[in-house]
Amino acid sequence: MPQLNGGGGDDLGANDEMISFKDEGEQEEKISENVSAERDLDDLKSSLVNESENNSSSSDSEQAERRPQPRPDLDSYEKTRDYFSEALRRQQDGGFFKSPHYPGYPFLMIPDLTNPYLSNGALSPSARTYLQMKWPLLDVPGAAGLKDPRSPTPGHLGRLSQTWWCSLFCSYKPHGTHMKMLMLMSQHLSVSNKVPVVQHAHHVHPLTPLITYSNEHFSPGTPPSHLSPEILDPKTGIPRTPHPSELSPYYPLSPGAVGQIPHPLGWLVPQQGQHMYSIPPGGFRHPYPTLAMNASMSSLVSSRFSPHMMPHHPHGMHQTGIPHPAIVSPAIKQEPNSHDHMSPSMHSKSPGPAKKEEDKKPHIKKPLNAFMLYMKEMRAKVVAECTLKESAAINQILGRRWHSLSREEQAKYYELARKERQLHSQLYPGWSARDNYGKRKKRKRDNKPDSTPEDFSIRNKNQCVQYLPSEKMCDSPASSHGSMLDSPATPSAALASPAAPAATHSEQAQPLSLTTKPEGRLHHHFLTGKPSGSASSSSSSSSSSSSSSHPSISIPIGTSGSHSAPIFSRPIPFSSLHHSMLSPPSPFHQAALHSHHALFQSQPLSLVTKSSD
DNA sequence: AGCCCTTTGAAGTGG
DNA sequence: CCACTTCAAAGGGCT
C-alpha cells in the first residue's frame, strides 16, 4: 500500500486521518499535484470546449469555471450547488490525496442538516452522529470565544471560516432548515473545538448579513439536549458520548474535546427582538461559490440532504424540542411523503392497511456510489459546457469522463462513496437496498434479452442518433486527456466494498464508443468470453445499451481478488496494467503512482501494452 | 403524471 | 459463484 502521508496505517481509517491532516511539508508536493490535476481538468475542459457547440473560448470557459457566474436558472439550487462544488473541486482538485487549501477542512461535509437518506426527512438521532461526522472540522473558535452563548457578535461569526460558511450555505436549503442546521451545527461545534482552526480574522463573514434568527424563529432557551456533546444512541435514543470510532475517520477528534465547551450555539442566538441578519426570502445564495469546500463533500451535500427530508416532528415540534413551524412546515409541504406519514401515494384516503404500513416505512435512499457522486458534481459543469440538456446524453459524457479520470480522482470518489455507505449503514443499520426494491415503478425493460440486432437497431438507433452528436460535440476527445491512469481503484482495500474497480482504459482507446454502441454490446470479454458489460450494469444486461458500448476488447486486469471488479472493455494503458499487475488495485496504489501518472499523461497511447503477469 | 433514457457502482436475487 | 436486476441522480423527451 502506498503511503499517502508517510504514515503507516493499513487501516483505511488511519489513512483517512492522515489524509485529513497532512503535514505541511507535503504542501509543495500537493501543489504540484494540484497543478497536474488542474492541467488534466484543463485539458478535459478545453477539449470539451473545443468540441462543444458553445464555441466559447477556452479562456472563457475557464473563467466561467473558476468564477461561477450567476446564472439565470439558479432557481435550481441543487444545480448551483453542484456548480460551485465543481468549482471547488477544481480548486482543490483531488481533495483526497491533496491537501485542501484549508487544511482544517479537508472533508467538510455539511448536509442539509436533514437526513441525507430519509426522503421523508426524518432526522433520526443517528443523523446527529452523521452530522458530527460530516462536520468534524468546523472552524471553531476556542472555548473562550464561545463563552458567552448569548453573544452573537459578528466577531463570532467572523471566526468561522469562510470555508465553513461556504459549505454551510452550499448545503443550505432555504425554508425552514436553518434552524435545524444551526442546531446541528452547534452540536458539531461542541465537539470540534480542538480541531485546527483556520481563521480569517480580518473577515467579517460575508454571509453574516444573510443570517437571520429572530427569536421568532428561534427561542434562545435551554439548549436542547441534542446540542450537547452527547450523541443520542440511534437505537436507544439515550444520550451518550460519541465513540471516536463513530466519528468519521477523517476527522480524528480529540475525545477530550468533547463536552468541554459551553454550548456554542450561543453566538448564533439572537437577542430578543434582534434581527441582526436577514435571510433572503428565496433562501441563501452562495456568494462565494469557489470557497474551499471539498468538492467531494459537496457531492455529499447533495440534494439528498434537502430540507424536504427534514423529519417531521410530531406536534410541529422541532426535534430539539423547540416549537418552530417554519422548520417543519415547508418541509412537510414540499415533501408530503414525510415518513411518519405517508408518501404521496399514501396521502390518498384510506389506503389499505398493508399499503399503509408499507407507506409508513420511510424511504431511505441508497447511498450514492462513486460515479453518482461524480455525476452530481460534474453534471452542472458538463451542462454548462455543452448545449446538451438531456440527462441521458450528459450521462454518457459523464460516463466517459469518469473513465478518463485519473486514478486519484476516481479514488477520491470511491472513497467518498465508501464513506457514504459507512455512514449510511451506521445511520440505518437495518436498512437494505432491498427495501427500496419495488418502490419505484418497475422499469419497463425490453423483455427480449439481447434482442436481435434488428430490434436493437430499432430503438437504439434513435438513441444513437439522439445522443451521439452531442457526445461528439461535447465529450472530450480521448487524446486530449492526459490521464492514462484512468482506472478506478479498489476503494480502499480495508473497508471498502469488495467492488474494486479495476483499471480501466484510456479514452483514446475508444473514441467511437458511442457511435459503435450497437456493435459494442456484442463484444465479449477478452479473456472470459463473457459480455464485457459487466453484470453490474443493468443497461448492459437487459437493455441494449450502455457499458457494452465500447467496441474494443476488454482485458481483465488487476482484479486481484475483486470478484466484483468491473470488467472494462477498453484497452488498458500500460501504466494501468503495470500497476495492477504489481498489486491489488487501490486508490492508494494509485496515489503512490501519482508521480508516474504525470509521466504517463504525456505518453502516447501506443504504450498500451499488455504486460505479462 | 410518470416512465424512459443514460451512466457506473453497490447490493440484492435467483439459479 | 455467477448472471442478472434494481436503484441511486438528473432532466429533457415522450406517452
Side-chain angles (χ1 to χ4, degrees):
Chain A
M1 284 288 277
Q3 294 182 346
L4 294 177
N5 293 291
D10 295 327
D11 170 74
L12 182 68
N15 278 333
D16 291 344
E17 291 185 14
M18 291 190 296
I19 292 169
S20 297
F21 297 96
K22 290 187 176 185
D23 293 336
E24 291 186 14
E26 295 185 356
Q27 294 300 324
E28 270 191 26
E29 182 179 344
K30 280 154 201 158
I31 290 170
S32 65
E33 286 177 347
N34 281 332
V35 170
S36 174
E38 196 166 85
R39 188 176 59 238
D40 288 348
L41 287 170
D42 286 344
D43 290 343
L44 188 65
K45 173 177 51 191
S46 58
S47 64
L48 273 169
V49 170
N50 290 339
E51 298 194 358
S52 73
E53 296 175 355
N54 287 345
N55 291 326
S56 61
S57 70
S58 174
S59 59
D60 288 344
S61 169
E62 190 165 319
Q63 279 187 342
E65 286 166 358
R66 296 181 190 284
R67 173 175 40 85
Q69 304 159 349
R71 302 187 304 177
D73 61 340
L74 280 183
D75 57 342
S76 173
Y77 195 75
E78 299 303 328
K79 273 189 174 179
T80 304
R81 271 201 312 214
D82 286 340
Y83 192 74
F84 293 159
S85 301
E86 172 54 14
L88 287 168
R89 197 179 81 82
R90 287 173 172 280
Q91 196 177 58
Q92 294 192 312
D93 180 49
F96 255 90
F97 297 91
K98 292 150 193 160
S99 175
H101 293 179
Y102 296 95
Y105 318 105
F107 300 106
L108 186 57
M109 305 173 188
I110 303 182
D112 266 341
L113 301 190
T114 61
N115 187 316
Y117 300 107
L118 284 180
S119 60
N120 54 32
L123 182 64
S124 66
S126 55
R128 297 165 196 162
T129 301
Y130 177 90
L131 286 165
Q132 285 189 327
M133 293 173 167
K134 297 282 187 179
W135 302 358
L137 296 178
L138 286 179
D139 180 13
V140 184
L146 297 171
K147 248 174 188 171
D148 183 0
R150 309 211 172 213
S151 185
T153 64
H156 283 124
L157 293 172
R159 299 185 74 161
L160 288 175
S161 74
Q162 289 183 352
T163 299
W164 183 87
W165 279 107
C166 173
S167 301
L168 174 62
F169 284 94
C170 281
S171 66
Y172 184 82
K173 282 243 181 174
H175 306 312
T177 36
H178 56 286
M179 206 59 249
K180 285 169 183 161
M181 180 166 64
L182 290 173
M183 298 290 199
L184 293 163
M185 233 169 60
S186 66
Q187 178 193 3
H188 173 79
L189 292 177
S190 67
V191 298
S192 60
N193 61 317
K194 289 202 174 177
V195 162
V197 172
V198 176
Q199 292 189 356
H200 309 275
H202 55 293
H203 294 150
V204 171
H205 199 283
L207 296 177
T208 296
L210 297 179
I211 305 169
T212 182
Y213 297 110
S214 67
N215 55 340
E216 175 184 345
H217 294 277
F218 180 47
S219 308
T222 302
S225 59
H226 87 277
L227 291 176
S228 72
E230 295 174 319
I231 294 178
L232 292 184
D233 186 293
K235 293 178 180 176
T236 64
I238 299 171
R240 57 185 174 75
T241 299
H243 188 279
S245 63
E246 291 179 344
L247 299 176
S248 171
Y250 285 133
Y251 322 102
L253 295 178
S254 167
V258 175
Q260 290 186 351
I261 314 177
H263 197 284
L265 186 58
W267 57 265
L268 279 173
V269 178
Q271 300 293 341
Q272 286 268 340
Q274 273 187 332
H275 294 256
M276 299 178 61
Y277 318 103
S278 62
I279 296 176
F284 291 108
R285 288 288 184 274
H286 201 309
Y288 295 99
T290 59
L291 284 183
M293 178 176 83
N294 186 297
S296 303
M297 306 173 199
S298 68
S299 296
L300 298 176
V301 179
S302 65
S303 58
R304 296 181 302 148
F305 310 135
S306 76
H308 307 165
M309 300 173 180
M310 247 9 218
H312 174 255
H313 294 280
H315 316 305
M317 192 77 85
H318 181 269
Q319 58 166 338
T320 61
I322 300 174
H324 198 290
I327 296 174
V328 177
S329 305
I332 301 287
K333 286 176 184 173
Q334 294 177 25
E335 190 111 338
N337 57 327
S338 132
H339 55 255
D340 283 331
H341 297 284
M342 323 191 234
S343 57
S345 58
M346 314 167 178
H347 279 285
S348 58
K349 295 109 188 174
S350 63
K355 187 174 185 178
K356 195 173 183 177
E357 214 169 284
E358 180 183 312
D359 291 341
K360 277 187 175 180
K361 202 171 186 178
H363 181 75
I364 300 169
K365 293 181 180 180
K366 292 175 67 173
L368 300 189
N369 63 36
F371 179 70
M372 287 295 153
L373 291 171
Y374 172 76
M375 265 186 34
K376 280 185 73 82
E377 193 172 299
M378 296 297 289
R379 173 178 296 280
K381 180 183 145 224
V382 171
V383 169
E385 292 178 350
C386 302
T387 56
L388 291 175
K389 297 292 181 188
E390 294 178 66
S391 286
I394 296 294
N395 289 349
Q396 284 187 341
I397 295 171
L398 287 169
R400 293 193 63 179
R401 282 194 173 197
W402 171 253
H403 286 297
S404 67
L405 284 181
S406 68
R407 286 188 160 209
E408 303 88 59
E409 287 176 315
Q410 283 195 352
K412 177 179 67 180
Y413 292 98
Y414 281 109
E415 188 67 7
L416 276 171
R418 186 183 66 78
K419 292 289 178 188
E420 280 278 277
R421 289 195 301 276
Q422 279 186 341
L423 282 173
H424 192 279
S425 64
Q426 288 177 3
L427 287 172
Y428 315 103
W431 180 87
S432 166
R434 176 175 126 200
D435 296 346
N436 291 356
Y437 276 32
K439 298 251 179 180
R440 176 184 290 183
K441 290 249 166 119
K442 199 166 190 179
R443 214 169 174 176
K444 187 183 179 185
R445 295 187 172 282
D446 15 337
N447 299 330
K448 298 179 183 178
D450 268 357
S451 53
T452 66
E454 289 88 294
D455 293 345
F456 177 76
S457 61
I458 290 174
R459 177 161 193 168
N460 291 285
K461 224 166 195 176
N462 287 336
Q463 292 173 1
C464 286
V465 170
Q466 181 177 7
Y467 298 116
L468 184 61
S470 301
E471 169 69 3
K472 283 181 127 182
M473 291 281 219
C474 294
D475 197 10
S476 60
S479 58
S480 69
H481 196 277
S483 172
M484 297 188 67
L485 282 169
D486 54 358
S487 70
T490 303
S492 67
L495 311 175
S497 69
T504 57
H505 21 291
S506 164
E507 282 285 308
Q508 297 176 339
Q510 52 138 19
L512 300 177
S513 63
L514 288 174
T515 60
T516 56
K517 179 166 290 186
E519 300 83 51
R521 69 187 301 279
L522 299 177
H523 86 283
H524 281 57
H525 193 279
F526 179 69
L527 295 182
T528 65
K530 296 173 185 174
S532 64
S534 166
S536 66
S537 173
S538 59
S539 37
S540 65
S541 57
S542 49
S543 70
S544 48
S545 63
S546 71
S547 55
S548 53
S549 62
H550 308 311
S552 58
I553 59 176
S554 59
I555 304 172
I557 59 166
T559 56
S560 37
S562 266
H563 74 284
S564 59
I567 300 169
F568 297 96
S569 56
R570 288 179 291 175
I572 310 300
F574 171 78
S575 56
S576 294
L577 287 170
H578 177 66
H579 171 221
S580 56
M581 294 299 178
L582 293 175
S583 58
S586 159
F588 302 111
H589 283 85
Q590 292 150 22
L593 290 174
H594 188 276
S595 57
H596 297 289
H597 178 200
L599 289 174
F600 282 114
Q601 285 183 335
S602 58
Q603 296 294 329
L605 190 61
S606 59
L607 279 178
V608 172
T609 305
K610 184 182 176 186
S611 68
S612 59
D613 194 346

